[in-house]
């Protein structure tokens, strides 16, 4: 009966006039915003890429991009098509991994994106995970919080590791898997080192090295001091934990960082954790992915691996 025929069998104009290759090529163009980089990535000639994108545009019957000078910009339609392309290509990639699993082979890809502070433990966990899955293709992307949220919105990766959860309207599956405490630090020769129970009011008098606006750590710190109606004496704004640690080691001020940013620091190094009231600020590391996203065998395996063993790759004392 007609009502039993699935939608994809009844409405198949795009299926008749597009190919998987066109979807793959457009996804690359949309992600790179460049025909040249897409051609290099897919080992094609630029005329081939242009011809395939032209064919897809004709099938869609709406413009997918605009070109201004040498730059291209996706239209609203182009952004929607790119998201659908990723969903379709991810489904096929997951199917390939499932078929390999039936064949007794574990192959495929794993794309993980993490906020900058997670770079202190994510490579360790991935390295251990890959011992059991040596044939997988691995991609680890380290970006700041705002760029990571954009990657989630564009469905660019399999799994994401974040500390502070996004306030934007993203429908996400959220799974905490390890503690992520924030601690105040100073140069080891700072007069506050080894002082017990330092007040927030006293710490607020120190010159502060802060993360950039939009940083999750920055907003958390500002919120904690605002609770006691205290303002910070901001001396420097830096965009990475490494830069902040170097500034503190140089005696330029104090700061607050994730305890995991000190993972590779020696106990007798130039940095010391201060004993301040209200610290550490307890937060969590979270594994997130868009709700409804089809998980591959490999991404499910890494998800389970972090849930079971993730804390083992985090140094939780200093």
């Amino acid at each position: 009966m007609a009502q039993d025929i699935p939608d994809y069998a009844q409405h198949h104009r795009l299926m008749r006039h597009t190919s998987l290759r066109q979807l793959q090529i457009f996804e690359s163009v949309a992600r790179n915003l460049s025909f040249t980089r897409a051609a290099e990535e897919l080992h094609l000639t630029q005329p081939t890429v242009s011809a395939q994108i032209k064919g897809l545009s004709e099938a869609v019957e709406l413009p997918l991009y605009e070109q201004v000078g040498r730059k291209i910009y996706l239209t609203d339609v182009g952004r929607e098509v790119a998201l659908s392309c990723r969903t379709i290509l991810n489904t096929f990639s997951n199917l390939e991994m499932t078929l390999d699993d039936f064949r007794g082979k574990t192959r495929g890809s794993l794309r993980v994106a993490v906020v900058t502070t997670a770079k202190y433990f994510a490579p360790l966990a991935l390295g251990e995970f890959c011992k059991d899955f040596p044939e997988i293709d691995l991609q680890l992307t380290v970006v700041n919080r705002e760029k990571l949220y954009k990657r989630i919105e564009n469905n660019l990766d399999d799994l994401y590791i974040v500390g502070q959860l996004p306030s934007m309207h993203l429908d996400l599956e959220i799974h905490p898997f390890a503690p992520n405490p924030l601690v105040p630090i100073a140069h080891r020769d700072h007069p506050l080192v080894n002082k017990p129970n330092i007040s927030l009011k006293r710490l607020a008098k120190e010159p502060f090295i802060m993360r950039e606006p939009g940083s999750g750590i920055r907003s958390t710190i500002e919120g904690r001091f605002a609770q006691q109606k205290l303002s910070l004496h901001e001396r420097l704004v830096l965009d990475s934990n490494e830069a902040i640690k170097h500034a503190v080691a140089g005696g330029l001020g104090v700061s607050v960082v994730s305890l995991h940013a000190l993972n590779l620091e020696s106990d007798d190094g130039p940095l010391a954790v201060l004993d301040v009231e209200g610290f550490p600020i307890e937060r969590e590391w979270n594994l997130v992915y868009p709700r409804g996203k089809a998980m591959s065998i490999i991404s499910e395996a890494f998800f389970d691996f972090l849930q079971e063993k993730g804390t083992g790759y985090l140094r939780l004392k200093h």
Side-chain angles (χ1 to χ4, degrees):
M1 296 177 63
Q3 61 265 33
D4 295 327
I5 300 174
D7 280 350
Y8 60 77
Q10 298 184 76
H11 306 99
H12 47 53
R13 184 182 59 80
L14 277 178
M15 292 176 67
R16 291 199 310 268
H17 296 289
T18 61
S19 68
L20 280 174
R21 191 58 162 164
Q22 285 177 324
L23 302 186
Q24 181 190 37
I25 291 170
F26 181 68
E27 190 283 327
S28 182
V29 169
R31 179 165 33 84
N32 291 294
L33 293 178
S34 167
F35 283 72
T36 301
R37 287 198 291 272
E40 292 171 351
E41 181 176 277
L42 299 174
H43 307 290
L44 298 171
T45 64
Q46 190 166 331
T48 298
V49 169
S50 299
Q52 293 293 324
I53 298 303
K54 181 181 178 183
L56 180 61
S57 296
E58 290 172 351
V60 172
E61 297 180 341
L62 290 166
L64 300 175
Y65 67 92
E66 299 172 344
Q67 186 155 357
V68 180
R70 293 186 176 182
K71 292 186 176 181
I72 66 170
Y73 301 88
L74 295 184
T75 62
D76 290 342
V77 171
R79 282 189 284 271
E80 287 299 318
V81 171
L83 283 171
S84 293
C85 286
R86 290 184 190 116
T87 299
I88 294 167
L89 295 171
N90 284 339
T91 299
F92 267 81
S93 177
N94 292 347
L95 174 60
E96 286 184 329
M97 285 186 249
T98 300
L99 295 175
D100 278 337
D101 194 52
F102 277 113
R103 299 182 187 111
K105 301 176 181 177
T106 306
R107 294 185 301 199
S109 62
L110 176 63
R111 296 163 301 177
V112 180
V114 306
V115 291
T116 51
T117 305
K119 71 182 180 182
Y120 297 103
F121 68 86
L124 301 175
L126 283 166
E128 189 64 28
F129 175 76
C130 286
K131 290 179 181 179
D132 293 329
F133 300 92
E135 294 189 45
I136 67 171
D137 295 323
L138 179 65
Q139 176 184 311
L140 174 62
T141 303
V142 180
V143 290
N144 65 27
R145 187 178 61 148
E146 296 304 321
K147 289 181 178 178
L148 185 128
Y149 294 168
K150 183 62 69 174
R151 293 185 71 87
I152 296 175
E153 191 175 1
N154 290 322
N155 193 26
L156 290 176
D157 309 280
D158 298 310
L159 291 168
Y160 306 85
I161 297 177
V162 298
Q164 182 167 319
L165 295 172
S167 57
M168 58 195 300
H169 300 295
L170 291 173
D171 191 13
L172 301 175
E173 292 280 354
I174 300 168
H175 299 272
F177 70 93
N180 177 25
L182 302 182
V183 296
I185 60 171
H187 189 280
R188 189 163 297 279
D189 295 334
H190 193 283
L192 292 180
V193 172
N194 295 325
K195 296 286 186 183
N197 200 30
I198 303 161
S199 69
L200 275 185
K201 185 176 181 180
R202 171 65 185 86
L203 189 65
K205 296 178 181 179
E206 296 294 319
F208 253 81
I209 317 297
M210 296 288 285
R211 285 294 299 264
E212 74 283 4
S215 159
I217 291 180
R218 181 189 180 100
S219 61
T220 300
I221 298 168
E222 289 175 335
R224 176 54 55 90
F225 280 83
Q227 288 174 358
Q228 294 195 18
K229 299 181 179 180
L230 295 171
S231 59
L232 293 168
H233 174 201
E234 186 177 291
R235 186 175 195 179
L236 278 177
V237 176
L238 299 171
D239 62 0
S240 75
N241 287 310
E242 291 304 303
I244 284 177
K245 290 193 298 182
H246 279 85
V248 174
L252 293 176
V254 301
S255 190
V256 174
V257 298
S258 167
L259 184 56
H260 307 307
L262 306 176
N263 272 359
L264 302 180
E265 302 292 329
S266 65
D267 290 334
D268 58 353
L271 303 178
V273 175
L274 299 177
D275 179 11
V276 178
E277 65 174 354
F279 281 89
I281 299 175
E282 298 296 344
R283 302 199 309 174
E284 292 180 302
W285 286 115
N286 301 281
L287 270 169
V288 305
Y289 55 90
R291 193 179 304 277
K293 181 180 178 68
M295 298 275 280
S296 70
I297 292 172
I298 299 299
S299 57
E300 282 186 348
F302 185 62
F303 178 92
D304 293 341
F305 175 85
L306 273 188
Q307 289 284 343
E308 180 183 353
K309 301 180 178 179
T311 302
Y313 299 97
L314 305 174
R315 187 178 179 182
L316 297 177
K317 59 181 181 179
H318 200 269

